[in-house]
């Protein structure tokens, strides 16, 4: 049984044979390419020597401090990495190179129509800042790193904003920008591109939604204003109650308050000054008038005298129980 397990199966043996054939073919191609490369290099050097000193202008290249040169010889990447900054040497006819700018590059993401999580359609645009971290990967791994980064930024903007509500989109721009920056940096890392910063520039809302939000904000502000006014009235009433209690304990405080009011009125250069009369001065007068009113209401009412009779010359023969006034006049 052990021997049976150790014997290779037909499929395993065929796979091993295929792998070995590929390795042999690759090594043979590498040897042939190496021979061609050596022959082409020798011919290039001979041509450079024959065309001296004109060939020196074609062989020496210069790159700036913020640039790097990626050199290919017969289509194969040269060892040693990117060249620069400064002067580097290339062989004519067999070497070509690509310059890569290492400075930070910024571009505007076109406005994107985004449907938020709460089903609101908004138009959002952003700006992206990136730079080349690895010049070799930026040239070898992707055909056009700038165009690819722009397309990826527009797609990422729609994907990230589609998972947020409108309120979050308006109030949490910094968090959304950071999330986009992390997502873009992870996607462009194999290309040798590092996304440094992402900023959301503007969020355009429909006109009807803007009017609705403005009305909502105005109503909320009015409600807060009414609450603040009510709290102020309550505090002012409490303060007035405390002030009145203090003035009741000291009657002179009310007079001092009158004088203070007069001083403030006089400072405003008014032509008319209203002088408040203290209650202590008119108190006795009010008591006197009230006592007079009480006496008038409580005094008895005298009966009216009958009208006097006209004088008469005749002698009265009435009884002695008559009117005493008449008797006196008769006597």
């Amino acid at each position: 049984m052990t021997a049976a397990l150790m014997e290779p199966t037909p499929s395993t043996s065929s796979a091993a044979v295929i792998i070995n054939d590929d390795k042999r073919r690759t090594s043979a191609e590498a040897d042939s390419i190496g021979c061609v490369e050596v022959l082409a290099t020798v011919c290039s050097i001979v041509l450079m020597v024959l065309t001296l000193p004109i060939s020196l202008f074609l062989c020496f290249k210069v790159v700036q401090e913020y640039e790097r040169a990626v050199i290919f010889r017969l289509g194969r990447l040269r060892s040693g990495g990117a060249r620069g900054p400064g002067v580097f040497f290339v062989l004519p006819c067999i070497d070509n190179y690509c310059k890569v700018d290492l400075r930070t590059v910024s571009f505007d993401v076109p406005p994107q129509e985004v449907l938020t999580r709460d089903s609101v359609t908004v138009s959002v645009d952003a700006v992206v800042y990136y730079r080349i971290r690895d010049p070799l990967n930026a040239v070898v791994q992707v055909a056009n790193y700038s165009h690819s980064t722009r397309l990826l930024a527009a797609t990422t903007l729609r994907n990230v904003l589609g998972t947020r509500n409108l309120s979050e989109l308006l109030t949490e721009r910094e968090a959304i920008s950071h999330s986009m920056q992390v997502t873009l940096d992870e996607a462009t890392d194999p290309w040798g591109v590092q996304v440094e910063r992402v900023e959301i520039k503007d969020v355009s809302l429909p006109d009807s939604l803007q009017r609705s939000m403005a009305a909502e904000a105005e109503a909320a502000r009015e409600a807060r204003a009414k609450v603040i006014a009510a709290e102020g009235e309550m505090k002012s009433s409490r303060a007035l109650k405390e002030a009145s209690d203090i003035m009741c304990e000291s009657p002179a405080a009310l007079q001092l308050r009158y004088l203070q009011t007069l001083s403030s009125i006089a400072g405003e250069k008014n032509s008319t000054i209203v002088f408040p009369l203290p209650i202590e001065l008119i108190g006795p007068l009010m008591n006197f008038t009230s006592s007079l009113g009480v006496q008038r209401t409580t005094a008895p009412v005298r009966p009216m005298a009958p009208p006097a009779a006209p004088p008469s010359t005749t002698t009265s023969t009435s009884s002695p129980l008559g009117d005493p006034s008449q008797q006196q006049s008769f006597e």
Side-chain angles (χ1 to χ4, degrees), residues 47-60 89:
L47 178 63
M48 181 186 64
V49 173
L50 293 177
T51 57
L52 283 175
I54 300 175
S55 60
L56 295 179
F57 295 98
L58 302 176
C59 295
F60 289 98
F89 180 80

Side-chain angles (χ1 to χ4, degrees), residues 25-94:
R25 190 179 306 164
T26 304
S27 61
E29 291 178 357
D31 294 338
S32 61
I33 292 175
C35 296
V36 173
E37 184 177 355
V38 171
L39 181 60
T41 303
V42 172
C43 295
S44 178
I45 294 174
V46 171
L47 178 63
M48 181 186 64
V49 173
L50 293 177
T51 57
L52 283 175
I54 300 175
S55 60
L56 295 179
F57 295 98
L58 302 176
C59 295
F60 289 98
K61 304 293 181 182
V62 179
V63 291
Q64 304 296 328
E65 181 68 29
Y66 52 84
E67 294 178 338
R68 296 296 182 270
V70 180
I71 304 174
F72 295 90
R73 177 164 294 176
L74 296 176
R76 299 178 65 183
L77 183 66
R78 288 191 59 182
S79 61
R83 273 39 172 201
V87 181
F88 63 96
F89 180 80
V90 294
L91 292 176
C93 302
I94 63 172

Side-chain angles (χ1 to χ4, degrees), residues 109-112 114 124-126 152-162 176 180 184 198 200:
V109 180
Q112 305 293 318
V114 181
V124 184
D125 57 348
L152 185 61
T155 306
T156 305
L157 179 63
R158 290 194 299 268
N159 293 338
V160 172
L161 297 182
I176 295 174
M180 288 184 57
L184 281 175
V198 178
I200 296 177

Side-chain angles (χ1 to χ4, degrees), residues 190-209:
W191 303 341
V193 177
Q194 180 181 0
V195 179
E196 295 181 341
R197 191 178 183 86
V198 178
E199 291 291 340
I200 296 177
K201 293 175 58 178
D202 188 19
V203 179
S204 300
L205 302 176
D207 295 338
S208 59
L209 183 60

Side-chain angles (χ1 to χ4, degrees), residues 144-167:
N144 190 340
Y145 62 87
S146 178
H147 184 64
S148 301
T149 304
R150 293 171 185 269
L151 294 179
L152 185 61
T155 306
T156 305
L157 179 63
R158 290 194 299 268
N159 293 338
V160 172
L161 297 182
T163 60
R164 301 298 183 101
N165 294 328
L166 180 60
S167 59

